[in-house]
């Protein structure tokens, strides 16, 4: 049930309207949407959309160029008056609508979408949207694309500007997908619409100039080698100093953590960040907590190289470093389960129904896990992995250190 926000009552008409428009401006929207622009006391608009206001009666205009936080504060101060925000496409698909929803109750908002850039691009290219990855590189690192680079994949991506196109082509080639195609769709729905099909090599060799207002469709070729999305990437996929949850143990650990879309993980004692990186590659969000500065840099590098630059990294030692973090849906304690107050702080912060997994390689760590399992239940698993390595002209299995894993689910309060 939605919590009421001060200043609104059930049944009140929304005071905040978000109207999505196309490249042809106000001529692209319905009479209903246009009426909310005409009736508004205040218009909020991006700088490049200023021209759509020509011919409208004089109004108070707020431009996002004034600064995101300042504009959000001004909008909040106008609660109860008629405010209309003009955006492009579908405001709820990588748009300002989803951002505003985190600030305002849905009863306060009215959203009138225009077809999203993804819908328009799919229609132009004949791609079924349910079979296509849809991502935004607008204001985001181009490395965000890496996680989606899979053989024969089709990807629709919003861009920041024309420069993003070359950055994408460079990344695709560097990742082993030479020969892939990029469709550049400029000013869709407008008088200047243009659709171009190029190979990544065409773009790198000097493609024609593109408009900053564009969306790209990427069709990848098959690659000889790629990084799967299921947990258990090779240890060599990560930069590390030896402090890494090994591939076989990591796959089992993540199976016990049970990642799911948008779930938040705390990776306590993150080391190389391998668990939190793989959690995010599976669709979740993560915070990596690590006390050593050199390992913090390693985690940043691994997050970027493996396509999850949004990984939040906190430098510090648990439990103090955990203060102020959002409550997690899952926690992995890869090191330091014997540290004073670490488990207690993690358990207190874990959401009801959340899962906690802790690994130990020392006798003391294993004893701590056995004691915790006796108190709280859950599963204990001891894993011993051996890998074949050369011994002269032959091979022999070399055992790695056994790892004890404890997995438990917090009860529903």
């Amino acid at each position: 049930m939605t919590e009421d926000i001060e200043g609104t009552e059930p049944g009140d008409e929304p005071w905040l309207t978000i109207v999505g428009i196309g490249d042809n401006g106000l001529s692209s929207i319905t009479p209903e949407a246009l009426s909310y622009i005409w009736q508004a006391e205040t218009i909020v608009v991006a700088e490049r959309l200023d021209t759509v206001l020509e011919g409208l009666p004089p109004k108070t205009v707020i431009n996002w160029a004034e600064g995101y936080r300042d504009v959000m504060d001004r909008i909040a101060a106008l609660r109860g008056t008629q405010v209309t925000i003009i955006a492009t496409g579908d405001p709820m698909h990588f748009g300002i609508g989803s951002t505003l929803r985190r600030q305002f109750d849905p009863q306060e908002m009215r959203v009138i979408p225009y077809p999203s850039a993804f819908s328009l691009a799919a229609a132009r290219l004949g791609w079924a949207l349910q079979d296509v990855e849809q991502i935004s590189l607008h204001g985001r690192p181009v490395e965000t694309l890496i996680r989606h680079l899979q053989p024969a994949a089709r990807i629709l991506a919003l861009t920041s500007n024309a420069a993003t196109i070359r950055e994408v082509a460079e990344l695709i080639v560097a990742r082993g997908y030479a020969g892939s195609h990029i469709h550049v769709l400029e000013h869709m729905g407008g008088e200047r619409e243009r659709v171009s099909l190029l190979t990544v090599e065409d773009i790198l060799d000097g493609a024609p100039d593109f408009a900053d207002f564009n969306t790209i469709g990427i069709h990848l070729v098959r690659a000889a080698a790629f990084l799967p999305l299921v947990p258990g990437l090779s240890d060599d996929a990560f930069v590390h100093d030896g402090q890494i949850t090994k591939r076989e143990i990591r796959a089992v650990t993540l199976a016990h953590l049970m990642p799911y879309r948008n779930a938040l993980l705390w990776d306590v004692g993150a080391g190389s960040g391998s668990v939190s990186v793989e959690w995010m590659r599976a669709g979740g969000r993560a915070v990596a907590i690590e006390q050593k500065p050199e390992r913090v840099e390693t985690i940043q590098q691994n997050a970027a190289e493996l396509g999850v630059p949004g990984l939040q990294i906190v430098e510090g030692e648990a439990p103090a470093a955990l203060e102020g973090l959002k409550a997690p849906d899952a926690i992995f304690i890869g090191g330091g389960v014997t540290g004073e107050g670490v488990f207690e702080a993690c358990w207190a912060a874990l959401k009801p129904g959340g899962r906690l997994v802790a690994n130990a390689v020392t006798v003391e760590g294993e004893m701590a896990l056995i004691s915790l399992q006796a108190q709280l239940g859950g599963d204990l698993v001891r894993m011993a992995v051996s890998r074949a390595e050369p011994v002269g002209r032959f091979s022999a299995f070399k055992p790695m250190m056994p790892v004890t894993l404890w997995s438990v689910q917090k009860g529903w309060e």
Side-chain angles (χ1 to χ4, degrees):
M1 185 174 183
T2 302
E3 181 181 351
D4 288 338
I5 303 295
E6 183 179 353
T8 65
E9 296 293 338
D12 281 355
E13 278 291 308
W15 60 273
L16 179 61
T17 301
I18 310 168
V19 175
I21 66 173
D23 194 69
N24 273 351
L26 299 185
S27 65
S28 65
I29 63 176
T30 65
E32 178 196 15
L34 186 59
S35 70
Y36 289 112
I37 296 174
W38 277 84
Q39 296 167 15
E41 300 169 54
T42 305
I43 298 284
V44 184
V45 68
E47 190 170 8
R48 66 183 181 83
L49 296 178
D50 274 347
T51 55
V52 305
L53 303 181
E54 295 175 1
L56 292 178
K59 298 176 184 293
T60 300
V61 177
I62 301 174
N63 198 298
W64 287 108
E66 298 174 23
Y68 169 78
R69 177 46 55 193
D70 289 342
V71 172
M72 291 296 290
D73 289 343
R74 290 185 66 181
I75 293 172
L78 292 168
R79 179 182 270 114
T81 68
Q82 292 302 307
V83 178
T84 294
I85 298 174
I86 300 176
T88 55
D90 183 350
M92 301 305 293
H93 202 164
F94 291 111
I96 191 61
S98 53
T99 302
L100 291 165
R101 175 59 189 88
R102 293 192 289 269
Q103 305 292 326
F104 302 107
D105 188 271
Q107 295 178 10
E108 301 181 87
M109 294 171 52
R110 175 190 297 108
V111 181
I112 305 177
Y114 182 79
S116 70
F118 301 109
S119 294
L120 293 174
R124 303 297 192 273
L125 301 178
W127 293 0
L129 273 178
Q130 69 269 18
D131 298 330
V132 176
E133 294 291 337
Q134 301 164 56
I135 67 171
S136 176
L137 300 177
H138 180 74
R140 294 173 170 84
V142 72
E143 289 83 6
T144 304
L145 176 64
I146 293 173
R147 184 168 69 91
H148 304 279
L149 297 181
Q150 302 289 307
R154 289 179 174 176
I155 305 163
L156 292 174
L158 307 180
T159 68
S160 292
N161 49 45
T164 306
I165 300 169
R166 184 177 181 86
E167 293 173 3
V168 166
E170 291 174 344
L171 181 63
I172 289 173
V173 171
R175 293 286 164 160
Y177 290 89
S180 296
H181 289 91
I182 295 182
H183 302 261
V184 181
L185 304 103
E186 306 165 78
H187 291 289
M188 286 185 292
E191 295 177 356
R192 294 175 291 168
E193 177 171 330
R194 182 175 66 164
V195 179
S196 306
L197 172 60
L198 306 99
T199 66
V200 287
E201 289 79 8
D202 291 335
I203 293 171
L204 297 180
D205 287 343
D209 291 337
F210 295 113
D212 284 333
F213 188 43
N214 70 77
T215 300
I216 57 175
I218 304 165
H219 190 186
L220 298 171
V221 298
R222 295 192 177 274
F226 69 97
L227 298 176
L229 295 176
V230 295
L233 293 178
S234 167
D235 297 343
D236 293 338
F238 299 88
V239 177
H240 62 90
D241 60 1
Q243 186 69 19
I244 184 173
T245 303
K246 299 299 190 292
R247 179 182 197 170
E248 297 83 358
I249 305 302
R250 191 182 336 118
V252 174
T253 296
L254 282 151
H256 280 268
L257 284 168
M258 300 174 61
Y260 59 94
R261 186 175 178 82
N262 292 325
L264 178 63
L265 171 76
W266 283 4
D267 184 0
V268 182
S272 65
S274 61
V275 170
S276 46
V277 165
E278 294 231 47
W279 173 278
M280 289 188 68
R281 285 177 61 85
R285 299 174 294 127
V287 182
I289 299 97
E290 175 55 50
Q291 62 176 314
K292 295 188 176 181
E294 63 273 18
R295 288 182 179 161
V296 168
E297 293 180 6
T298 296
I299 295 170
Q300 292 172 335
Q301 184 176 350
N302 285 327
E305 287 295 318
L306 294 170
V308 289
L311 172 62
Q312 181 182 351
I313 304 172
V314 174
E315 183 178 340
E317 186 175 4
L322 308 177
E323 295 180 9
L325 298 179
K326 290 184 178 179
D329 302 288
I331 297 175
F332 173 57
I333 305 176
V337 71
T338 57
E340 184 176 353
V342 173
F343 170 76
E344 291 78 8
C346 289
W347 189 250
L350 185 63
K351 291 180 182 178
R355 302 188 68 81
L356 184 145
V357 174
N359 289 356
V361 296
T362 65
V363 172
E364 292 78 8
E366 183 177 87
M367 290 175 61
L369 297 186
I370 292 171
S371 176
L372 289 168
Q373 195 263 352
Q375 298 172 47
L376 298 171
D379 297 322
L380 274 174
V381 179
R382 178 181 283 172
M383 295 170 283
V385 176
S386 298
R387 292 177 177 174
E389 295 187 2
V391 178
R393 296 184 297 109
F394 302 98
S395 297
F397 283 101
K398 182 179 179 179
M400 296 188 292
M401 293 181 67
V403 176
T404 300
L405 177 150
W406 175 51
S407 172
V408 64
Q409 184 174 20
K410 190 173 184 179
W412 296 92
E413 298 173 359

